[in-house]
Amino acid sequence: QVQLVESGGGLVQPGGSLRLSCAASGLIFRVDTMGWYRQAPGKQRELVATMTSGGSIDSTDIVKGRFTISRDNAKNTVYLQMNSLKPEDTAVYYCYARTNNYGIYGTFWGQGTQVTVSS
């Protein structure tokens, strides 16, 4: 099992910035991918960005150029720096981790952190 604890959400004005953090604990030696998804009211959960332990990044075009994912493998923590925030970025942001146990994959989710972009 992997436990994920997120922090850093909140209320910010349009054009502002926030930094989300997610710390993993538990069977962290099996975690290969960590990242972020988000879910806005009435919408499906969608990919924001993920990063493998080797540094490969997958992200949605919606946030490219504004959001940056980074990872500190020594601290088992993944970050999401969000700049130039827009009202449409308002959502619950979920930390995500995928484990790889000799080819058997598992997925884990954090409890979510609310990001609200509003004036």
Side-chain angles (χ1 to χ4, degrees):
Q1 294 293 319
V2 174
Q3 294 77 44
L4 302 171
V5 178
E6 302 128 332
S7 61
L11 172 65
V12 64
Q13 292 187 342
S17 299
L18 282 175
R19 188 192 194 206
L20 305 182
S21 300
C22 173
S25 61
L27 297 178
I28 54 179
F29 64 92
R30 291 178 178 165
V31 173
D32 64 355
T33 300
M34 294 186 71
W36 299 91
Y37 283 69
R38 69 185 184 185
Q39 187 167 18
K43 295 187 177 181
Q44 290 188 332
R45 191 173 296 188
E46 64 177 358
L47 168 72
V48 177
T50 60
M51 177 182 276
T52 68
S53 56
S56 296
I57 294 173
D58 185 20
S59 64
T60 177
D61 288 341
I62 296 173
V63 303
K64 284 181 178 177
R66 299 190 297 124
F67 294 6
T68 302
I69 188 171
S70 61
R71 185 170 168 177
D72 186 335
N73 290 327
K75 295 182 178 180
N76 305 307
T77 300
V78 65
Y79 305 95
L80 185 69
Q81 178 65 44
M82 304 186 292
N83 298 327
S84 302
L85 282 160
K86 304 175 181 180
E88 50 263 44
D89 294 318
T90 296
V92 178
Y93 284 69
Y94 294 92
C95 182
Y96 161 88
R98 189 184 76 169
T99 57
N100 183 358
N101 182 19
Y102 299 103
I104 299 174
Y105 295 96
T107 57
F108 299 88
W109 298 94
Q111 78 282 2
T113 185
Q114 178 70 46
V115 171
T116 302
V117 185
S118 175
S119 56

